[in-house]
Amino acid sequence: MEKRTFLKTGLLFTIGAAVTPLLKACKTTDKAAAASLAPPTKTRSGAFELPALPYATKDLEPYIDTMTMEIHHGKHHNGYVTKLNKAIEGTKYANYELEDILARVSSSTSDKNVRNNGGGHWNHSLFWTIMAPGGSPATGALATAINSTFGSMDKFKEEFSAASKGVFGSGWAWLCVGADKKLFITSTPNQDNPLMQQIVSKTGTPILGIDVWEHAYYLKNQNRRADYIDSFFNVINWKQVGKNYDKAMSM
């Protein structure tokens, strides 16, 4: 064997020997994390269903147009529900509540459809409720927490807008309550969300979220995501977000 070939083979062997334990360690860590979550105590009967909108599809005009709402809710969200029901058939998730599914879903190929469609269903179910015609102001404990955490509502809007604009491609930006009961802003790709303990780097309970997939704004705003984000602030139902905050704080 030539000296060059011998050295190359030896180098590859050395790299392989070093990397293999790391890969095994990662797999072990993933399995250990998944195993740390006990089976849920509650079970669900019946298929997941598309929730009705709490307002008419035209009611968020002129900020979010009617056709976008019709397609977004009736086609996109409905598609996630249909595909989720199919994806969990015959799996360990078949009778789990949605939050229990999201907490346990992994990044494995076998969980891909459950992850994408479970996230899509949960994310949109929250999204519809935290909007309302004309919006509403933040008050009470939530307003106090926002001012304390971000300095002011305007500062919060700046940080939340930056997180929303900063999502590369498709995804979501979130306002969450962390395990320490403090507010934080984060973003996730695709249909992931901060409830996915096996996937995201920082977990929390989302109380407000904005969908920045193009299907959420392209008919009205084309590629102007920033315009859509500005419009979104005009329809935020802070009264509902406040209820979400109170619930998360009591958990």
Side-chain angles (χ1 to χ4, degrees):
M1 181 183 294
E2 294 183 3
K3 182 177 180 181
R4 181 180 299 174
T5 303
F6 175 80
L7 291 174
K8 183 177 181 181
T9 302
L11 179 60
L12 291 174
F13 177 80
T14 301
I15 293 174
V19 170
T20 298
L22 293 176
L23 294 176
K24 288 182 178 179
C26 290
K27 291 179 180 178
T28 301
T29 301
D30 289 344
K31 290 180 180 178
S36 67
L37 290 171
T41 56
K42 296 188 298 181
T43 57
R44 172 187 49 81
S45 61
F48 288 109
E49 297 180 353
L50 178 69
L53 290 173
Y55 38 76
T57 54
K58 64 179 177 57
D59 286 352
L60 300 184
E61 294 271 11
Y63 303 108
I64 308 219
D65 62 288
T66 302
M67 185 175 291
T68 291
M69 288 298 299
E70 290 174 349
I71 296 172
H72 199 172
H73 177 260
K75 300 295 184 181
H76 288 285
H77 189 177
N78 194 44
Y80 290 124
V81 174
T82 301
K83 293 174 183 176
L84 173 61
N85 285 322
K86 184 176 181 180
I88 61 175
E89 284 181 4
T91 72
K92 62 183 179 181
Y93 303 120
N95 297 314
Y96 285 13
E97 297 286 359
L98 186 53
E99 288 77 8
D100 289 321
I101 292 175
L102 299 184
R104 291 161 177 78
V105 76
S106 72
S107 59
S108 67
T109 301
S110 61
D111 274 356
K112 181 179 179 180
N113 287 335
V114 177
R115 170 186 178 182
N116 290 340
N117 293 295
H121 180 28
W122 194 94
N123 297 349
H124 287 87
S125 295
L126 175 72
F127 187 55
W128 310 131
T129 65
I130 52 85
M131 295 188 291
S136 64
T139 59
L142 174 60
T144 299
I146 288 175
N147 289 329
S148 175
T149 303
F150 304 103
S152 67
M153 176 58 76
D154 287 340
K155 289 292 185 182
F156 160 75
K157 289 180 178 179
E158 288 179 14
E159 291 190 33
F160 191 78
S161 294
S164 306
K165 295 172 187 176
V167 174
F168 181 77
S170 302
W172 293 73
W174 306 97
L175 175 64
C176 300
V177 175
D180 58 2
K181 302 303 180 183
K182 295 181 179 180
L183 293 174
F184 69 92
I185 293 170
T186 190
S187 62
T188 54
N190 303 315
Q191 293 297 350
D192 290 352
N193 70 45
L195 295 174
M196 297 180 175
Q197 298 181 31
Q198 314 302 327
I199 293 171
V200 298
S201 58
K202 186 170 185 178
T203 60
T205 302
I207 61 172
L208 170 72
I210 181 172
D211 185 349
V212 291
W213 283 62
E214 287 188 344
H215 65 233
Y217 62 88
Y218 209 83
L219 288 180
K220 180 178 176 62
N221 301 106
Q222 288 79 54
N223 64 332
R224 300 186 302 275
R225 182 187 288 184
D227 290 352
Y228 159 67
I229 295 167
D230 289 342
S231 293
F232 174 72
F233 282 110
N234 291 287
V235 294
I236 293 179
N237 181 1
W238 283 107
K239 184 176 181 180
Q240 180 60 49
V241 180
K243 291 179 181 178
N244 297 342
Y245 174 75
D246 292 341
K247 181 179 179 181
M249 292 296 287
S250 67
M251 294 171 62

